[in-house]
Amino acid sequence: MKPSANQSVDPRTQMASSNGHAVSNVSQSDSKLELFGFDSLVNILGLKSMAGEQAQAPSSPRDEDVEIAIGFPKETEPKQGTLMGVFIPCLQNILGIIYYIRFTWIVGMGGIWQSLVLVAFCGACTFLTGLSLSAIATNGAMKGGGPYYLIGRALGPEVGISIGLCFFLGNAVAGAMYVLGAVETFLDAIPSAGFFQETVTVVNNTLGNGTTKSATTISTPSLHDLQIYGVIVTILLCFIVFGGVKIINKVAPAFLVPVLFSILCIYIGVSIAPEPGAPKGITGLSIVTLAENWSSEYQPTNNAGVPDPNGSIYWDFNALLGLFFPAVTGIMAGSNRSASLKDTQRSIPIGTLSATLSTTLMYLLSVFLFGALATREELLTDRLLAATIAWPGPAVIYIGIILSTLGAALQSLTGAPRLLAAIANDDILPILNCFKAYEGSEPHVATLFTSFICIACVVIGNLDLITPTITMFFLLCYAGVNLSCFLLDLLDAPSWRPRWKIHHWVLSLIGASQCIVIMFMISWTFTVVSLALASLIYYYVSLKGKAGDWGDGFKSAYFQLALRSLRSLGANNVHPKNWYPIPLIFCRPWGKLPENVPCHPKLADFAKCMKKKGRGMSIFVSIIDGDYHESAEEANTAYRQLSAYIDYKHCEGVAEIIVARSISDGFRSIVQIMGLGNLKPNIVVMRYPEIWRRENLITQIPSSFISIINDCIIANKAIVIVKGLDEWPNEYQRLYGTIDLYWIVRDGGLMLLLSQLLLARNGFESCKIQVFCIAEEGTEAEELKADVKKYLYDLRMQAEVIVVTMKSMEAHSEISPNAKKDPQEEYTSAQDRIRAYLSQTKETAQREGRPLMEDGRQVVVNEEKVEKFLYTMLKLNTTIVKYSMMAAVVLVSLPPPPLNHPAYCYMEYMDMLVVNVPRILIVRGYKRDVVTLFT
């Protein structure tokens, strides 16, 4: 229905129709939905989004534009399926240099049965990690960053960045490992290409009786040749990477065919071995050879891995574990390509787990084949046994090894910079801003940095020293994935609904534990270093990183822990030993502040004094006068300002904004409903209304002030009223002197506790505590002093006790020279003002023919009591000025408002109490003790 020309148009309708023309697109058949055009949600989603295009909310902290396609859909690149998108990339990354040039050596060193245990152990680790990866990957849409994205969104940005950076280092170092493997294979195939002389090692084969049977001469490439060729190859690969993704996508698939063909040639060669001219150590598939190689035979080797009785490297099962584990890594390749998959939630589980199982079965089969093929001597000395036995000749294997390792190195040098750029693009760690890469651009800076790391590792030149380092970083990443799934599975939040969930959280815990165990089995040193590095990054991110709410599992864990703690605490009163102040800070009830300052700065400083070593929680509340429907946007703005101000002042509190028709109504709502269980505010802290005498406030503030105090008394809340807030010290100021307590009524020890909290702050640490008690007679004074001293001693408090008798208070005392106002003159002025106010209100009531009313209740004026109350405040103030004029701060008990007395009279009493005292806290406890004598 269109409004007529003379009708006003609802602004919500204008917003809905102008934002994407959502309302106008509704067909006649959908006319029943036109009513929803007035809903503000149309501005966010649009009426079409529910049926077609889904508007995905941006994931914090990235600011990603959310668009709803209306009309023609966007053209996208062809998506890949499970085979080409996940299975083949994982297979290509898993099958690498270790299988070609180290696997036969591992079988010879560890024997068949330990090699089977080794492969099964590593395969189980990656399979369990694949299950956890599948569960997390199918719980929602994935974006760039691979495992970093998964771990960060599950365990938080600190854990995600710390493990993500370690995973980046692992990929960068893995690139160096693949380069060295390719160069070593090339130099073994063409020894004349080396610039330096080869290293020659003579290995003596010893029989069981100790006699030497024969000696074998083994030549290995020079370390300097590995370094020179390795640096050259790395630079060439970096030029390809700098060429962009299009070139890489064209080159990378060409590396897969040689890998598969070379493995096929190896199996053909095993089945037809031994061929004419083959080394004597190659016996062909033989049961006898299988039995001889069944057990392990660990030997010392030189740096090149060649057995040497005088070698400096000693091998055992743990060392083999560190050497072999990189051969099973690569299961993250599919998750890294999630953006280009047709069906992420189907392809990643099937492709990843299929690649893991197929390669594990291939490794297990290869253990039996290699163990039954050649003697132990041949397995340990022929570094390229796979090439020796391959059909039709070694050249096929050499080409396959070189191409496969260069392809894997290219993938590492391509993936690592993009991982670093993804971490930088999340804008959590400012120090990584230089590695950012905007959408559509290549991460050139991150690529250059990765190249430097890869070249540095290539210069080391020792493959067996590099692989344990890679193992630690990959295991740390796998442990993070398992822990992420374990936490999400254990918490079982409503949003945790993975499509692929065939396991329990116990399996995730087993997978994480297995990763940690493997790390320690390989090397305590490398494990401690890697964990220390991740911890340092975590600590640095927590200190320097920007806040980002990713809805991680730790937040859910904290939430459930908080709920469980609340249920365990119940709603009963807290024992004094476990009592913590939870102050409710009234931000702006009285007094004008600049518009950009939502809370008095000194009130925020005082809120910090209510905590001991930062423990506790403060609730900052501001009340906005008005109607909630009309002031909702103003309240949201005020909430954001107050929250930002609390963070700026480091108060460690929460903000609350209440919209009410008056301050009294707003506070009455707060005091009844705010909090949960025992986590309710127990102390109300507010500023003393020193501006209440202004003409426009003289009828408003007294009644609101009295109402707040009475509500606190009824709700059993303690009260702390701060007078002289402008004189309160900030965190950099120091006060000297005393903290004086005028302990008049029983308050559960709150005044004593506040003095101890003040003493713990830097601003008051040089002060001493004095406790003033009021007694009737002189004999009673001594007993009272002894009792209070004993009580303070049992409370572990050091304080001087001073007893003031009523007789001394009645005696006339001289005015302190530091007093700015004469108390007697203030007393006389207060009397005159009270008489004038009462006279005026009585005349008004008589003229209107009604009883004396105030805020809807009848008040009783007893001038004799009014005079008595005012005189009591005069004597108390005179005593305070006499003893505590130079005190750092004074604490005095708050007198409750007399029933049915005018609010104006109570304000005069309070003014009489605080005159001439620069800093004073007026305190009222509640029915429970907050301190205890007992342990």
Side-chain angles (χ1 to χ4, degrees):
M1 297 177 60
K2 292 186 178 180
S4 59
N6 58 352
Q7 286 179 323
S8 62
V9 181
D10 193 326
R12 295 177 294 178
T13 310
Q14 292 179 341
M15 291 165 53
S17 60
S18 63
N19 208 335
H21 306 286
V23 176
S24 61
N25 289 333
V26 181
S27 63
Q28 293 295 331
S29 61
D30 295 332
S31 59
K32 292 185 294 183
L33 299 178
E34 289 185 1
L35 178 61
F36 292 94
F38 295 93
D39 198 332
S40 61
L41 290 177
V42 175
N43 302 323
I44 304 172
L45 298 176
L47 296 179
K48 296 264 186 179
S49 63
M50 300 286 288
E53 301 85 0
Q54 294 294 327
Q56 299 292 342
S59 61
S60 177
R62 295 182 182 177
D63 296 326
E64 304 178 41
D65 295 330
V66 180
E67 297 180 358
I68 301 174
I70 297 179
F72 296 100
K74 292 183 179 180
E75 294 184 2
T76 58
E77 297 181 358
K79 300 290 186 178
Q80 295 179 334
T82 303
L83 180 63
M84 296 303 299
V86 181
F87 179 76
I88 297 301
C90 288
L91 199 67
Q92 186 177 6
N93 280 267
I94 293 173
L95 296 176
I97 185 66
I98 300 297
Y99 179 76
Y100 288 105
I101 68 175
R102 286 292 184 269
F103 195 72
T104 56
W105 185 90
I106 291 174
V107 174
M109 186 70 72
I112 295 176
W113 80 271
Q114 289 199 13
S115 298
L116 291 174
V117 173
L118 178 68
V119 172
F121 191 50
C122 295
C125 177
T126 54
F127 182 75
L128 292 177
T129 304
L131 288 178
S132 300
L133 172 67
S134 302
I136 302 176
T138 58
N139 192 51
M142 286 182 56
K143 297 183 181 179
Y148 155 71
Y149 181 87
L150 297 177
I151 297 172
R153 268 59 180 183
L155 300 182
E158 295 86 357
V159 179
I161 291 179
S162 59
I163 295 181
L165 288 178
C166 291
F167 190 63
F168 157 75
L169 291 176
N171 279 277
V173 176
M177 180 190 72
Y178 295 130
V179 169
L180 287 175
V183 172
E184 184 177 338
T185 305
F186 172 73
L187 292 176
D188 279 337
I190 310 176
S192 60
F195 298 103
F196 298 90
Q197 185 176 2
E198 295 180 319
T199 303
V200 178
T201 304
V202 178
V203 180
N204 295 321
N205 299 319
T206 305
L207 297 175
N209 56 9
T211 61
T212 301
K213 178 182 178 182
S214 63
T216 304
T217 301
I218 301 173
S219 299
T220 57
S222 172
L223 176 62
H224 300 299
D225 286 333
L226 291 175
Q227 294 169 337
I228 293 173
Y229 278 103
V231 171
I232 294 174
V233 171
T234 304
I235 294 175
L236 293 176
L237 291 176
C238 290
F239 277 117
I240 298 176
V241 175
F242 272 106
V245 177
K246 292 183 179 179
I247 297 178
I248 297 171
N249 290 338
K250 292 179 180 179
V251 175
F255 295 114
L256 179 61
V257 176
V259 174
L260 298 179
F261 182 72
S262 63
I263 293 176
L264 178 62
C265 292
I266 291 174
Y267 285 136
I268 294 175
V270 169
S271 62
I272 64 176
E275 292 186 354
K280 295 181 180 180
I282 299 178
T283 63
L285 297 178
S286 169
I287 297 296
V288 176
T289 307
L290 181 70
E292 291 177 352
N293 294 330
W294 182 259
S295 60
S296 61
E297 187 174 324
Y298 294 105
Q299 303 177 28
T301 66
N302 59 16
N303 291 333
V306 178
D308 186 354
N310 300 320
S312 59
I313 300 178
Y314 296 90
W315 293 90
D316 56 11
F317 182 82
N318 295 347
L320 289 184
L321 185 63
L323 178 62
F324 174 74
F325 193 83
V328 298
T329 59
I331 61 175
M332 301 294 179
S335 62
N336 292 336
R337 300 179 178 222
S338 58
S340 61
L341 298 176
K342 293 180 182 178
D343 189 353
T344 305
Q345 300 184 8
R346 179 178 182 274
S347 297
I348 288 181
I350 296 177
T352 303
L353 296 176
S354 299
T356 303
L357 290 175
S358 59
T359 52
T360 302
L361 292 176
M362 188 199 76
Y363 286 145
L364 292 173
L365 177 62
S366 298
V367 171
F368 284 104
L369 293 179
F370 291 146
L373 178 69
T375 63
R376 191 180 303 273
E377 176 187 353
E378 191 70 22
L379 292 173
L380 293 176
T381 56
D382 192 346
R383 298 168 55 82
L384 286 171
L385 180 61
T388 303
I389 64 174
W391 177 90
V396 177
I397 301 302
Y398 285 133
I399 295 174
I401 293 175
I402 294 173
L403 290 180
S404 65
T405 50
L406 290 180
L410 184 64
Q411 294 293 337
S412 297
L413 293 176
T414 303
R418 280 157 178 77
L419 174 60
L420 183 60
I423 298 174
N425 287 341
D426 274 341
D427 201 24
I428 295 293
L429 208 57
I431 196 174
L432 299 179
N433 288 342
C434 60
F435 300 117
K436 284 185 177 180
Y438 298 99
E439 186 176 358
S441 62
E442 295 292 329
H444 293 303
V445 179
T447 302
L448 189 63
F449 181 68
T450 306
S451 304
F452 281 122
I453 296 177
C454 187
I455 290 174
C457 294
V458 166
V459 171
I460 297 175
N462 191 337
L463 189 65
D464 297 331
L465 291 179
I466 292 177
T467 49
T469 307
I470 302 171
T471 303
M472 292 303 165
F473 290 138
F474 277 94
L475 280 169
L476 192 62
C477 177
Y478 294 168
V481 172
N482 282 295
L483 286 176
S484 301
C485 187
F486 164 73
L487 183 63
L488 295 174
D489 216 355
L490 185 64
L491 296 174
D492 199 17
S495 61
W496 176 243
R497 299 187 304 274
R499 295 183 182 275
W500 188 276
K501 186 180 180 183
I502 63 173
H503 68 299
H504 196 258
W505 58 265
V506 175
L507 292 180
S508 298
L509 183 60
I510 293 174
S513 303
Q514 191 176 10
C515 293
I516 301 299
V517 169
I518 292 176
M519 292 176 68
F520 281 100
M521 287 178 64
I522 293 172
S523 172
W524 282 83
T525 304
F526 280 106
T527 301
V528 172
V529 170
S530 60
L531 292 177
L533 178 61
S535 301
L536 288 175
I537 298 174
Y538 178 91
Y539 183 69
Y540 182 79
V541 174
S542 62
L543 289 179
K544 302 294 183 180
K546 298 180 181 178
D549 186 9
W550 290 354
D552 54 86
F554 281 133
K555 297 293 192 304
S556 180
Y558 296 153
F559 178 77
Q560 292 201 18
L561 181 61
L563 290 181
R564 187 170 299 177
S565 300
L566 281 175
R567 289 195 298 266
S568 64
L569 287 174
N572 299 323
N573 291 315
V574 179
H575 193 275
K577 288 190 290 187
N578 303 322
W579 190 89
Y580 284 91
I582 305 178
L584 179 70
I585 312 295
F586 243 169
C587 293
R588 303 179 67 166
W590 341 106
K592 183 70 174 176
L593 292 174
E595 292 299 327
N596 59 342
V597 180
C599 178
H600 196 292
K602 298 298 181 67
L603 196 59
D605 292 332
F606 178 75
K608 298 179 184 179
C609 298
M610 305 289 288
K611 304 174 184 177
K612 183 178 181 181
K613 298 180 180 179
R615 298 189 183 99
M617 179 181 66
S618 300
I619 304 175
F620 290 78
V621 174
S622 186
I623 298 176
I624 298 177
D625 295 339
D627 182 78
Y628 178 68
H629 292 261
E630 297 175 356
S631 305
E633 188 61 33
E634 180 185 356
N636 292 334
T637 303
Y639 173 80
R640 290 191 294 268
Q641 291 177 348
L642 184 56
S643 297
Y645 189 79
I646 293 172
D647 294 337
Y648 167 73
K649 295 292 290 184
H650 303 290
C651 291
E652 297 182 357
V654 296
E656 292 289 346
I657 302 295
I658 302 296
V659 179
R661 300 191 181 277
S662 65
I663 289 181
S664 301
D665 293 342
F667 181 81
R668 193 165 291 121
S669 301
I670 292 171
V671 81
Q672 291 183 77
I673 65 173
M674 183 164 289
L676 182 65
N678 275 319
L679 285 183
K680 291 183 178 180
N682 46 33
I683 301 179
V684 176
V685 180
M686 60 180 173
R687 181 184 184 183
Y688 182 76
E690 300 177 52
I691 61 171
W692 72 275
R693 293 188 188 279
R694 297 179 183 177
E695 293 183 0
N696 59 331
L697 300 174
I698 198 168
T699 58
Q700 174 187 351
I701 289 183
S703 59
S704 300
F705 187 70
I706 292 290
S707 175
I708 291 173
I709 294 177
N710 285 329
D711 290 343
C712 290
I713 295 174
I714 295 174
N716 197 25
K717 307 290 184 185
I719 308 170
V720 177
I721 302 172
V722 187
K723 188 263 180 183
L725 197 57
D726 295 330
E727 304 296 329
W728 195 263
N730 58 30
E731 55 184 333
Y732 303 107
Q733 294 175 325
R734 299 290 184 270
L735 294 180
Y736 300 91
T738 59
I739 300 175
D740 291 352
L741 281 61
Y742 285 83
W743 195 11
I744 300 174
V745 297
R746 177 179 174 84
D747 59 359
L750 178 61
M751 193 181 296
L752 299 174
L753 181 62
L754 287 177
S755 66
Q756 293 297 309
L757 293 176
L758 289 176
L759 206 61
R761 304 298 299 183
N762 294 335
F764 295 92
E765 62 181 358
S766 300
C767 298
K768 296 182 179 180
I769 298 177
Q770 293 186 144
V771 178
F772 292 85
C773 303
I774 299 176
E776 293 288 342
E777 302 293 339
T779 54
E780 183 185 347
E782 295 300 326
E783 296 178 1
L784 179 60
K785 185 174 183 178
D787 291 341
V788 173
K789 279 188 174 182
K790 178 63 169 57
Y791 182 69
L792 295 178
Y793 176 80
D794 292 337
L795 287 176
R796 294 89 63 199
M797 287 184 56
Q798 295 182 354
E800 182 182 356
V801 180
I802 302 173
V803 178
V804 180
T805 62
M806 297 295 296
K807 185 179 296 185
S808 63
M809 291 181 64
E810 292 292 337
H812 178 71
S813 59
E814 297 181 358
I815 301 174
S816 173
N818 297 317
K820 297 180 180 180
K821 299 178 181 178
D822 186 350
Q824 193 63 41
E825 292 181 1
E826 291 295 317
Y827 173 71
T828 304
S829 300
Q831 284 181 313
D832 296 338
R833 289 192 298 268
I834 290 175
R835 292 191 187 101
Y837 174 80
L838 293 178
S839 176
Q840 181 181 356
T841 53
K842 287 179 180 179
E843 291 178 1
T844 303
Q846 290 176 359
R847 185 171 58 252
E848 296 177 356
R850 57 173 178 80
L852 193 61
M853 303 289 293
E854 187 177 71
D855 290 338
R857 61 185 178 87
Q858 185 175 354
V859 296
V860 178
V861 178
N862 188 328
E863 296 185 4
E864 182 180 350
K865 285 190 175 182
V866 170
E867 181 73 20
K868 183 178 180 181
F869 291 153
L870 187 63
Y871 181 74
T872 304
M873 292 297 103
L874 168 65
K875 292 305 177 182
L876 182 56
N877 174 261
T878 303
T879 303
I880 293 174
V881 172
K882 176 182 179 182
Y883 293 102
S884 306
M885 189 62 193
M886 302 303 295
V889 63
V890 175
L891 285 77
V892 64
S893 298
L894 172 69
L899 295 176
N900 300 327
H901 272 228
Y904 180 89
C905 297
Y906 184 75
M907 294 305 302
E908 289 288 356
Y909 305 155
M910 297 299 298
D911 266 7
M912 191 70 248
L913 175 64
V914 301
V915 68
N916 287 327
V917 185
R919 283 180 297 272
I920 186 170
L921 302 180
I922 311 171
V923 181
R924 176 180 174 82
Y926 60 123
K927 300 177 182 178
R928 294 284 299 180
D929 290 334
V930 299
V931 293
T932 179
L933 304 175
F934 304 101
T935 302

